[in-house]
């Protein structure tokens, strides 16, 4: 039985001087949660999390990193740096990284491998834009994103990955995918993993839905059999996140 995972993605919001207060609110509100709780934040906020989230049930990690160990990569941070401040997870392949910063499937595959190598749990994001959905090409597109991301990764490693289905048309738009649409794609992602590896592996992988999740849409989404929780952007910046975590 997969345990639900509710993850926040703060994006480029929350100053380090604001993070302590938000972390206090969230950690107090989710103390008795049945689900796993995770906050993914700008790397400059990680130090605040190290201090604030010690001995709590809230895990944390970064929104991005680079796939080399160290060296002349001005502006980047490494997996070891995230781990050094207690981060356990990292987002890989978010559509904002793919579309605004030009990250391609080759780089995403390298990042996935490096994260796994360093024992950092990757949250791999995949998802189509509106044109792709209207052209009925969602499965082709997402199947390809999954195959390219997982190239050269073995099944024991894949079991550690969290996948997030995040349709681009639903991110930051207030247009949550219906639970039926989200479930259909999450099921397809699980079938794709089963065809690349085997069904035992696919049954272990946690698959989240992300895209305008809020307190009123969470329950329907998270009760679907192939949706193992959510990746929450805007609603993770306030107390609404607590309601999403405690959706039951
Ligand atoms: P949103 O962002 O909840 O604000 O749509 C989700 C995400 O991009 O991870």
């Amino acid at each position: 039985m997969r345990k639900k995972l509710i993850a926040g993605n703060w994006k480029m919001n929350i100053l380090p001087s604001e993070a302590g207060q938000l972390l206090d609110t969230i950690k107090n509100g989710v103390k008795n949660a049945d689900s796993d709780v995770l906050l993914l934040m700008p790397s400059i906020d990680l130090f605040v999390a190290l201090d604030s989230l010690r001995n709590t049930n809230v895990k944390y990690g970064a929104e991005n990193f680079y796939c080399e160990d160290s060296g002349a990569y001005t502006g980047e941070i490494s997996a070891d740096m995230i781990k050094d401040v207690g981060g356990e997870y990292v987002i890989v392949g978010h559509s904002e990284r793919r579309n605004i910063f030009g990250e391609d499937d080759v780089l995403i595959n390298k990042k996935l491998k490096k994260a796994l190598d360093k024992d950092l749990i990757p949250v791999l994001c995949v998802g189509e834009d509106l044109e792709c959905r209207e052209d009925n090409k969602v499965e082709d597109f997402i199947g390809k994103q999954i195959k390219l991301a997982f190239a050269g990764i073995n099944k024991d490693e894949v079991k550690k990955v969290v996948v997030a289905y995040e349709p681009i048309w639903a991110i930051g738009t207030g247009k949550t995918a219906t639970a039926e649409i989200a479930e259909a794609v999450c099921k397809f992602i699980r079938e794709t993993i089963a065809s690349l590896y085997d069904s035992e592996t696919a049954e272990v992988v946690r698959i989240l839905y992300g895209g305008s999740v809020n307190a009123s849409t969470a329950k329907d989404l998270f009760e679907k059999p192939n949706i193992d929780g959510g990746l929450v952007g805007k609603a993770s910046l306030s107390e609404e996140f607590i309601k999403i975590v405690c959706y039951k």
Side-chain angles (χ1 to χ4, degrees):
M1 187 61 186
R2 296 177 299 269
K3 193 170 176 190
K4 301 283 180 195
L5 169 65
I6 319 294
N9 173 11
W10 285 358
K11 308 196 180 186
M12 200 173 74
N13 300 300
I14 309 298
L15 299 172
S17 61
E18 298 166 334
Q21 198 179 349
L22 181 55
L23 290 173
D24 279 349
T25 306
I26 292 175
K27 76 183 180 197
N28 290 327
V30 304
K31 254 187 215 152
N32 302 315
D34 296 333
S35 314
D36 288 335
V37 186
L38 170 65
L39 290 170
L40 298 153
M41 59 189 67
S43 45
I44 199 163
D45 294 342
L46 290 171
F47 255 112
V48 185
L50 172 66
D51 202 37
S52 166
L53 299 180
R54 192 173 284 127
N55 302 323
T56 71
N57 59 334
V58 182
K59 308 267 190 212
Y60 61 95
E63 295 168 14
N64 186 34
F65 80 119
Y66 192 54
C67 56
E68 295 293 339
D69 284 346
S70 63
Y73 303 101
T74 302
E76 295 294 332
I77 67 160
S78 69
D80 286 333
M81 291 174 185
I82 297 170
K83 292 194 70 181
D84 199 53
V85 286
E88 294 179 67
Y89 289 75
V90 68
I91 300 178
V92 176
H94 193 283
S95 58
E96 288 152 17
R97 301 275 344 150
R98 293 179 193 256
N99 297 339
I100 304 171
F101 301 99
E103 294 196 8
D104 62 11
D105 291 305
V106 173
L107 179 60
I108 287 160
N109 173 250
K110 283 186 188 162
K111 287 187 172 195
L112 211 57
K113 285 179 172 158
K114 180 58 75 177
L116 290 163
D117 222 39
K118 295 286 182 179
D119 239 348
L120 203 53
I121 301 173
V123 179
L124 170 71
C125 300
V126 296
E128 80 287 357
D129 63 16
L130 195 56
E131 197 185 335
C132 177
R133 173 154 291 272
E134 284 172 352
D135 289 349
N136 277 324
K137 292 190 177 136
V138 176
E139 295 195 352
D140 281 356
F141 183 79
I142 289 179
K144 197 168 154 222
Q145 282 187 321
I146 296 277
K147 276 178 208 134
L148 293 172
F150 285 165
I153 293 176
N154 69 39
K155 68 176 182 182
D156 291 330
E157 292 170 320
V158 165
K159 286 178 185 169
K160 297 178 196 152
V161 177
V162 175
V163 179
Y165 167 53
E166 294 214 314
I168 295 169
W169 48 270
I171 296 176
T173 58
K175 253 174 103 177
T176 321
T178 63
E180 288 66 34
I181 288 179
E183 165 64 14
V185 180
C186 291
K187 182 166 180 278
F188 169 75
I189 291 170
R190 201 174 304 287
E191 287 164 359
T192 303
I193 297 170
S195 73
L196 291 172
Y197 299 92
D198 52 44
S199 48
E200 187 243 332
T201 305
E203 282 307 311
V204 172
V205 176
R206 291 201 277 194
I207 302 175
L208 314 182
Y209 166 78
S212 298
V213 174
N214 58 45
S216 56
T217 54
K219 190 168 190 287
D220 274 358
L221 288 161
F222 302 165
E223 282 184 343
K224 291 288 178 197
N226 285 288
I227 302 179
D228 304 314
L231 182 56
V232 183
K234 190 161 178 277
S236 69
L237 301 172
S238 69
E239 288 186 29
E240 185 167 6
F241 187 66
I242 299 167
K243 292 197 191 127
I244 296 172
V245 170
C246 305
Y247 66 94
K248 277 185 189 158

